[in-house]
Amino acid sequence: QVQLVESGGGLVQPGGSLRLSCTASANIFRIYTMNWYRQIPGDQRELVASLIGGSMINYADFVQGRFTISRDNSKNIFYLQMNDLTPEDTAVYYCNAHHSNNHVTPPVNLDFWGQGTQVTVSS
């Protein structure tokens, strides 16, 4: 069982910055794909950025150049640095750890989620 705890959300003005943190209960970054998702009430949860295998990084098109993910292996923390925020970035942001392996029997498919942290961008 992996526990994830997010922090760092809050209210920020347009153009401002926030850094979200996701503290994992164990050193899992090489084994699990670490993801940041966000969700607006009434909408589906959407993928923001991913850290794969501890080094490969992917970003959604809508955050390219504005958001950056990183990790601190010594503290088991996964970060999302968000710059140049707009009101459209307002959402609850979730940290996710995903691991799957179809080469074993039975196949493994694991997902762990944090509780979410609210980000509100408003003047």
Side-chain angles (χ1 to χ4, degrees):
Q1 188 79 4
V2 174
Q3 294 180 332
L4 303 172
V5 179
E6 298 105 333
S7 61
L11 173 64
V12 64
Q13 292 187 341
S17 298
L18 282 174
R19 188 176 77 162
L20 306 183
S21 300
C22 171
T23 302
S25 57
N27 189 331
I28 60 172
F29 298 154
R30 289 186 181 275
I31 301 172
Y32 284 77
T33 294
M34 300 301 298
N35 301 299
W36 284 102
Y37 283 82
R38 68 185 188 184
Q39 187 171 26
I40 301 168
D43 286 358
Q44 288 189 334
R45 201 168 288 188
E46 61 180 354
L47 182 63
V48 175
S50 300
L51 174 66
I52 304 166
S55 60
M56 183 182 302
I57 296 174
N58 291 323
Y59 295 101
D61 289 343
F62 57 80
V63 303
Q64 287 283 356
R66 300 189 300 127
F67 293 7
T68 304
I69 59 175
S70 60
R71 72 198 187 285
D72 185 332
N73 289 332
S74 66
K75 298 179 180 178
N76 298 333
I77 301 177
F78 176 52
Y79 298 102
L80 179 67
Q81 176 67 44
M82 304 186 294
N83 299 326
D84 194 21
L85 286 162
T86 73
E88 289 70 34
D89 295 316
T90 295
V92 178
Y93 284 72
Y94 295 91
C95 178
N96 163 261
H98 173 76
H99 175 68
S100 62
N101 188 346
N102 293 321
H103 301 290
V104 297
T105 303
V108 173
N109 192 12
L110 300 173
D111 273 288
F112 299 99
W113 294 90
Q115 81 286 357
T117 185
Q118 176 70 47
V119 170
T120 302
V121 185
S122 175
S123 55

